[in-house]
Amino acid sequence: MKPSPLAVDAAEVEALFDSIPDVLFFIKDREGRYTHVNATMLRRLGLRSRKEIIGKRASEVYPSGLGANYGLQDRQVLEGAVIDNLLELHLFSDQEPGWCLTCKRPLRIDGQVAGLIGISRDLAGREGLEADYRSLREALVHMNRHYAENIRVQDLLDITGFSESKLERTFQKVFQLSPLQLLTRVRIQAAMHRLHGPGSIASIAQACGFSDQSAFTRRFVALVGMTPGEYRRLRAG
């Protein structure tokens, strides 16, 4: 006999995630406003009470670049998309950026999307991967600082002291991406921030390390799901 579905109290789920310090948890309504967050999120934002964030959107609680990216994700999920293990930057409690894997899913009531639920897991805190993450940290810092330049695999080998095969294995283990795939994501995230400003798409492509605008557009569409121009118009709207 099939068991009857349980009605789960979101507050109980929120309380459960309060006990997991390296996971950020949230629920949002159909308008992208926070309805539930865990203690990790409050700590990272420097807030004392959930009352300070409930009812607000990501754009109201995060710096403009990050908030815009999170808001775009929310709109995609509220339209039915699922985000699994998206590598992205978050701000930690010391206001330093850190790498996380984010998952978001639509919440449906009677078949209709009524909101979304999500988590972001700190890569540095993933059980069993702490040492691997630490070994790649300087390579990540190098990518983040020099993404506009011609970063070679050899540069990352020199930084980590790894063989090429070990570098590939460790990146796949920690990020589920190759070093060059991760570099592309870092460049696309940088471009998304720049697209909030007035620069031309061609100049942004060059500033973010892409060989030409066509290559930039192809990569952007593959990762974001729309062209740079469409993303810019969405932000402007």
Side-chain angles (χ1 to χ4, degrees):
M1 182 177 178
K2 187 176 180 179
S4 300
L6 295 174
V8 179
D9 185 344
E12 294 294 334
V13 180
E14 179 185 68
L16 177 65
F17 275 96
D18 278 346
S19 64
I20 311 177
D22 60 348
V23 174
L24 185 151
F25 164 81
F26 51 86
I27 297 177
K28 300 181 184 181
D29 66 13
R30 190 69 184 81
E31 304 302 319
R33 298 171 298 205
Y34 292 100
T35 62
H36 297 80
V37 300
N38 70 337
T40 298
M41 187 165 185
L42 296 178
R43 186 171 63 253
R44 290 202 189 157
L45 293 170
L47 304 178
R48 293 179 177 273
S49 167
R50 289 180 170 88
K51 293 179 181 179
E52 297 177 75
I53 188 173
I54 299 305
K56 294 182 178 179
R57 296 178 176 87
S59 60
E60 298 175 89
V61 298
Y62 285 103
S64 59
L66 292 176
N69 288 345
Y70 302 157
L72 175 62
Q73 291 174 17
D74 291 348
R75 274 173 273 179
Q76 293 170 337
V77 174
L78 290 168
E79 290 173 1
V82 172
I83 293 175
D84 265 328
N85 290 326
L86 174 67
L87 180 70
E88 60 183 5
L89 286 171
H90 275 216
L91 288 179
F92 286 75
S93 54
D94 56 3
Q95 295 303 299
E96 286 296 314
W99 292 94
C100 298
L101 288 174
T102 294
C103 300
K104 293 183 179 181
R105 281 174 162 70
L107 281 175
R108 288 183 168 87
I109 298 177
D110 296 328
Q112 301 297 314
V113 176
L116 65 88
I117 188 169
I119 62 169
S120 289
R121 295 175 291 154
D122 303 348
L123 281 173
R126 292 173 66 199
E127 186 175 356
L129 294 182
E130 296 91 340
D132 291 314
Y133 177 81
R134 285 195 298 271
S135 70
L136 296 178
R137 183 171 177 80
E138 290 306 313
L140 290 174
V141 170
H142 182 78
M143 283 184 177
N144 211 40
R145 289 177 178 170
H146 302 284
Y147 59 81
E149 303 168 18
N150 181 27
I151 296 178
R152 304 168 302 158
V153 170
Q154 186 60 52
D155 298 328
L156 306 180
L157 297 178
D158 293 341
I159 291 169
T160 60
F162 288 173
S163 66
E164 188 168 350
S165 60
K166 183 176 181 181
L167 185 75
E168 289 280 344
R169 286 197 309 272
T170 309
F171 264 85
Q172 287 288 351
K173 183 178 179 182
V174 175
F175 301 114
Q176 292 87 57
L177 297 167
S178 71
L180 294 182
Q181 287 172 330
L182 177 58
L183 176 59
T184 297
R185 287 180 181 260
V186 170
R187 286 172 168 167
I188 290 296
Q189 286 185 327
M192 292 174 79
H193 290 183
R194 288 174 180 265
L195 284 166
H196 304 153
S200 71
I201 291 175
S203 66
I204 289 171
Q206 183 176 20
C208 293
F210 291 93
S211 57
D212 55 56
Q213 185 174 338
S214 295
F216 168 55
T217 298
R218 287 195 301 273
R219 294 294 187 183
F220 197 96
V221 170
L223 289 175
V224 181
M226 64 184 72
T227 67
E230 288 169 339
Y231 174 76
R232 171 172 270 173
R233 288 192 291 274
L234 179 65
R235 285 292 305 130

